[in-house]
């Protein structure tokens, strides 16, 4: 469970990247975080994960404050950033073992978890190669595997399907459903509104740092347009020319 209470972040004194954001990502749900470029999505995710401190407000991960107890929080989430270009000089297997070591995954379980995740994402044959040699999609998959290796209760994913082939995207979506079926949470940002419409239990739409809507697809249709797709409603309520 992830809770944001009146969270604000400004990178200068005049413009707020995130403005008084209150949000709850519940156990057992896939929550989609939507917004145009520069809306505040990545800034929000960086505050949730403790990369950036909020100017004000409170962020809780399973009831633990990310600012006052960051290590306890970080054990309870897995974070996939919007750019998978990291640890490029390591081999795939070196990176996965490093991530397992960081999160204290027992040696007795590590090999099995790596094998299971690599099998799902079809990465078994690439682990002996340097990540630098991977395609963008392969880098995305190795980062996903590394993030999930300690079985975190909360998944925080920033544009996780960028660069993935259709089969890998399908696998990830299936894994997201499996994860929430165990009463755990998934919070992910995406520009692919069709995916959000079909996959998410609820969505939040942010623009210029302000939360414009939070709820189910049925609720957003009832409020704005019963006949419209999520894409059309999104374009309507984030139209800055209005």
């Amino acid at each position: 469970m992830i809770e944001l209470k009146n969270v604000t972040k400004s990178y200068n004194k005049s413009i707020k990247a995130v403005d008084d954001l209150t949000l709850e990502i519940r156990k057992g749900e896939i929550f989609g975080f939507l917004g145009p470029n520069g809306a505040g999505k990545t800034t929000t995710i960086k505050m949730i994960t403790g990369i950036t401190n909020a100017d004000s407000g409170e962020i809780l991960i399973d009831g633990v404050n990310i600012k006052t107890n960051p290590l306890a929080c970080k054990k309870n989430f897995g974070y996939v950033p919007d750019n998978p270009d990291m640890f490029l000089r390591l081999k795939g297997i070196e990176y996965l073992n490093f991530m397992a070591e960081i999160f204290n995954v027992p040696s007795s379980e590590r090999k099995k978890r790596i094998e299971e995740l690599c099998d799902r994402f079809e990465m078994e044959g690439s682990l002996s190669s340097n990540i630098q040699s991977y395609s963008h999609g392969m880098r995305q998959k190795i980062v996903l595997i590394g993030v999930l290796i300690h079985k975190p209760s909360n998944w925080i994913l920033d544009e996780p399907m960028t660069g993935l082939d259709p089969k890998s995207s399908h696998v990830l979506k299936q894994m997201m459903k499996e994860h929430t079926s165990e009463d755990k949470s998934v919070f992910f940002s995406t520009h692919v509104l069709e995916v959000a419409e079909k996959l998410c239990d609820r969505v939040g739409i942010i623009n210029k740092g302000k939360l414009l809507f939070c709820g189910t697809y049925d609720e957003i249709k009832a409020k704005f347009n019963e006949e419209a797709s999520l894409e059309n409603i999104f374009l309507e309520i984030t139209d800055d020319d209005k």
Side-chain angles (χ1 to χ4, degrees), residues 21 83 97 101 127 174 180 184 224:
L21 177 62
N83 185 347
N97 279 316
E101 193 71 32
L127 295 184
Q174 188 61 40
T180 54
K184 300 172 182 177
F224 295 101

Side-chain angles (χ1 to χ4, degrees), residues 107-166:
S107 300
S108 58
E109 298 178 26
R110 187 179 305 180
K111 186 173 185 290
K112 181 181 178 182
R113 290 190 197 176
I114 289 174
E115 287 176 350
E116 288 174 349
L117 289 166
C118 286
D119 180 62
R120 295 198 74 169
F121 284 109
E122 298 183 340
M123 287 291 289
E124 310 97 312
S126 304
L127 295 184
S128 60
S129 300
N130 288 348
I131 296 173
Q132 192 167 18
S133 69
Y134 289 3
S135 67
H136 181 88
M138 290 171 67
R139 292 180 188 182
Q140 189 77 355
K141 289 192 283 187
I142 201 72
V143 169
L144 279 163
I145 293 168
V147 161
L148 303 183
I149 201 166
H150 70 290
K151 296 185 176 180
S153 57
N154 303 282
W155 294 4
I156 303 169
L157 316 175
D158 196 355
E159 298 288 346
M161 294 168 200
T162 301
L164 293 183
D165 57 81

Side-chain angles (χ1 to χ4, degrees), residues 3-152:
E3 300 170 89
L4 293 85
K5 301 177 181 180
N6 305 110
V7 172
T8 295
K9 178 67 180 179
S10 176
Y11 289 111
N12 56 52
K13 294 183 179 180
S14 59
I15 300 175
K16 293 178 179 178
V18 175
D19 189 0
D20 196 32
L21 177 62
T22 294
L23 203 57
E24 180 182 87
I25 294 84
R26 303 163 186 160
K27 293 180 180 179
E29 77 171 353
I30 300 173
F31 188 96
F33 199 43
L34 317 176
N37 292 333
K41 301 188 302 299
T42 295
T43 297
T44 299
I45 288 173
K46 286 182 176 179
M47 288 190 291
I48 294 172
T49 55
I51 295 171
T52 299
N53 287 326
D55 295 337
S56 60
E58 187 178 33
I59 299 172
L60 305 175
I61 310 290
D62 291 341
V64 180
N65 190 300
I66 185 67
K67 188 172 183 179
T68 59
N69 201 344
L71 287 180
C73 281
K74 290 176 183 181
K75 290 178 181 178
N76 292 328
F77 69 74
Y79 166 53
V80 175
D82 59 348
N83 185 347
D85 297 335
M86 59 183 70
F87 299 100
L88 299 182
R89 294 183 182 275
L90 292 182
K91 294 178 181 179
I93 189 62
E94 291 173 337
Y95 170 71
L96 296 182
N97 279 316
F98 168 70
M99 292 296 289
E101 193 71 32
I102 288 290
F103 287 102
N104 297 314
V105 179
S107 300
S108 58
E109 298 178 26
R110 187 179 305 180
K111 186 173 185 290
K112 181 181 178 182
R113 290 190 197 176
I114 289 174
E115 287 176 350
E116 288 174 349
L117 289 166
C118 286
D119 180 62
R120 295 198 74 169
F121 284 109
E122 298 183 340
M123 287 291 289
E124 310 97 312
S126 304
L127 295 184
S128 60
S129 300
N130 288 348
I131 296 173
Q132 192 167 18
S133 69
Y134 289 3
S135 67
H136 181 88
M138 290 171 67
R139 292 180 188 182
Q140 189 77 355
K141 289 192 283 187
I142 201 72
V143 169
L144 279 163
I145 293 168
V147 161
L148 303 183
I149 201 166
H150 70 290
K151 296 185 176 180

